[in-house]
Amino acid sequence: MAESLLFNPRTYDPEHFDPETRRLLRATVDWFEERGKRRLIEDYRSRAWLGDFLAFSAKEGLFATFLTPASAARDEDRRWDTARIAALNEIFGFYGLDYWYAWQVTILGLGPVWQSDNAVARDRAAELLSRGEVFAFGLSEKTHGADIYSTDMLLEPDSEAVGGFRASGSKYYIGNGNAAGLVSVFGRRTDVEGPDGYVFFAADSRHEAYHLVKNVVDSSKYVSEFRLDGYPVAPADILHTGRAAFDAALNTVNVGKFNLCTASIGICEHAMYEAVTHASNRILYGRPVTAFPHVRRELTDAYVRLVGMKLFSDRAVDYFRSAGPEDRRYLLFNPMTKMKVTTEGEKVIDLMWDVIAAKGFEKDNYFAQAAVEIRGLPKLEGTVHVNLALILKFMRNHLLNPVDYPAVPTRLDAADDAFLFRQGPARGLGSVRFHDWRTAFDAYAEVENVARFREQADALCAFVETAAPDEEQSRDLDLLLAVGQLFALVVHGQLILEQARLTGLDEELLDELFAVLVRDFSAHAVELHGKDSATEDQQSWALGAVRRPVVDAARSARIWERVEALSGAYEMAE
């Protein structure tokens, strides 16, 4: 039972996908397994570039099949399918975030291209993908970070080329900048003021006017600094101009940030097999480590949190794939996957690390790199704080103003998610409407800890109506982030319950998971109580929202049996 909920290379068969997707996912798993654990870890420790992996991808057509939208494809198996992209994220995370990163920044680099009407650039990108090339996203800068309002990549009109420019400036923290066949670069024209001057253009890292400065991180991930000196930008290289360039930047991040959640899941799954196997076989004071009650609680909490991560992320895929101009609910669930699921991943690793202790540092384990790499995901594509502030824009409508929507089914069909590249202007978030979150909770009203958490969610609605931050407090981001954590838990619980219903997850496991969420809500309520600017009414509300989960020792013991069954269920061959 436990094994079936986690990715296990020994038994993995994605039969819910079409034959070519199924073949490619299995081939990717087999490639990693044949390399073995020793080579995997040595490449990570030696910071080796991923040339052999990219050669495998090129040979199999992996990136080309998964990352070419149907509108640009010459092969019927090629499409942009968020469900199978999520499955590959999980596999890459399971074996090493370096592999995932090369894929992730290729996705970001492709975003402005697939949103563009430039047929020449689109054909070029499709051809480069077919040849196994990687891509890069030239947005952030050393001085300004991702503050695209202040870009110093400047394009001057080229007197020798009609409609062309010469681009000069530098970009910083740009993945794949050492090898990208196409870099989508954001800049601004010197001859046009304001937002109308923004430009996205395509550059080639092999061009003589493209200067690679260095890898700014100590890793196989080549996170580059590069500089352009009079780089010629022809009309055929221009992807977007004006406000459309600005929107392309934000919409690309919307597409890319979703990938962080499933990469985090893959990391946690591999680490969990190692941690449970080690703890079950280590004898301390004459007993296995797993005989101690606190160890069982920590590993059980880690397991149910990981199950929650998977349930939420799988359900969020459905909203991504079903999105359209009249249904933009994905704009909330997307930063939730980036912020909430990845921080849950950190908690999962920390809980297991508390159990295995010094073993988590050993160089021959996957866990040592998992403990490092899991930290990066909450910090990529916008910090946790940025994404928490973003989801607050949806809070009132989500909690208090539901509208009717047709039911969103499970979306595993072989369809192209074309809307992601025609999202339109990246604004108007406060007007997005949602279906009634209570419906998911009503379906599990008899599950004790779901009911207990529902009390807390209802209390948050009352908070928004009667004690929400006033105008002055709304400028206190520290206070708002505490409120955001409470709201995030409600959304997290909602999609977990929706996916549980769709997959028939047994209620005992759900009960144990919501016991953890009840504790989390109480902890964040206490945090809000302690904020300097919290009013007496807000403090009183916070204490009133604290709940103790319903404890059932027999239920917890049965969930522990599922965790214990992970011991020896998978170990990567040397």
Side-chain angles (χ1 to χ4, degrees), residues 156-386:
E156 295 188 359
D158 187 349
S159 59
E160 299 179 5
V162 177
F165 300 89
R166 291 279 175 170
S168 297
S170 63
K171 292 292 181 178
Y172 193 82
Y173 223 85
I174 310 302
N176 289 350
N178 61 318
L182 188 154
V183 185
S184 295
V185 184
F186 185 84
R188 58 185 172 90
R189 295 171 56 171
T190 59
D191 60 330
V192 177
E193 295 291 330
D196 290 339
Y198 293 136
V199 179
F200 243 124
F201 63 96
D204 185 342
S205 68
R206 300 169 182 86
H207 194 280
E208 61 183 11
Y210 180 105
H211 304 285
L212 184 66
V213 178
K214 62 180 178 179
N215 185 358
V216 304
V217 299
D218 186 19
S219 170
S220 295
K221 305 175 195 68
Y222 206 103
V223 188
S224 70
E225 177 182 5
F226 72 80
R227 187 179 72 254
L228 301 183
D229 289 327
Y231 186 99
V233 181
D237 298 322
I238 296 174
L239 303 173
H240 302 275
T241 59
R243 179 73 199 200
F246 184 92
D247 289 338
L250 298 184
N251 290 338
T252 293
V253 173
N254 279 341
V255 173
K257 74 168 61 174
F258 182 80
N259 299 310
L260 280 71
C261 64
T262 35
S264 179
I265 288 166
I267 292 173
C268 291
E269 287 171 321
H270 197 157
M272 178 157 279
Y273 286 120
E274 278 196 348
V276 175
T277 299
H278 168 71
S280 297
N281 289 279
R282 182 166 175 78
I283 305 301
L284 192 63
Y285 307 119
R287 293 189 293 171
V289 167
T290 51
F292 293 95
H294 69 289
V295 167
R296 292 188 173 191
R297 181 190 62 77
E298 287 183 308
L299 291 179
T300 299
D301 279 6
Y303 173 72
V304 298
R305 284 186 187 276
L306 178 51
V307 170
M309 291 164 64
K310 295 200 72 167
L311 293 168
F312 183 93
S313 300
D314 286 349
R315 184 56 175 154
V317 165
D318 302 332
Y319 287 99
F320 247 68
R321 304 198 71 197
S322 300
E326 305 305 318
D327 182 357
R328 300 198 297 158
R329 286 174 287 178
Y330 75 102
L331 290 171
L332 167 59
F333 303 140
N334 188 30
M336 277 289 302
T337 57
K338 181 267 174 288
M339 180 280 296
K340 185 62 180 174
V341 175
T342 60
T343 53
E344 283 292 287
E346 288 190 288
K347 293 175 185 176
V348 169
I349 294 294
D350 286 343
L351 285 163
M352 293 188 292
W353 205 353
D354 280 347
V355 171
I356 66 172
K359 189 72 176 177
F361 294 98
E362 293 185 10
K363 66 180 183 180
D364 295 330
N365 295 331
Y366 174 84
F367 197 98
Q369 72 183 69
V372 173
E373 300 294 356
I374 200 70
R375 310 296 169 199
L377 292 167
K379 299 164 185 65
L380 296 173
E381 323 311 346
T383 64
V384 169
H385 301 140
V386 166

Side-chain angles (χ1 to χ4, degrees), residues 472-485:
E472 182 177 349
Q473 287 180 313
S474 295
R475 294 189 289 271
D476 182 354
L477 189 57
D478 188 44
L479 177 78
L480 292 180
L481 293 178
V483 177
Q485 291 284 7

Side-chain angles (χ1 to χ4, degrees), residues 304-316 319 333 336 340-341 344 440-441 444 450 453 488-506 509-514 516-517 520:
V304 298
R305 284 186 187 276
L306 178 51
V307 170
M309 291 164 64
K310 295 200 72 167
L311 293 168
F312 183 93
S313 300
D314 286 349
R315 184 56 175 154
Y319 287 99
F333 303 140
M336 277 289 302
K340 185 62 180 174
V341 175
E344 283 292 287
F441 285 83
Y444 287 98
V450 173
F453 185 85
L489 276 167
V490 176
V491 181
H492 189 57
Q494 175 195 345
L495 261 61
I496 286 171
L497 291 173
E498 289 185 12
Q499 186 66 7
R501 179 63 66 183
L502 288 168
T503 59
L505 187 77
D506 68 277
L509 179 56
L510 206 57
D511 207 2
E512 193 75 14
L513 169 56
F514 270 82
V516 171
L517 300 187
D520 286 353

Side-chain angles (χ1 to χ4, degrees), residues 125-143:
E127 175 60 28
L128 289 170
L129 274 173
S130 294
R131 300 200 318 239
E133 299 275 8
V134 293
F135 292 67
F137 186 51
L139 185 67
S140 64
E141 299 175 7
K142 189 171 186 177
T143 302

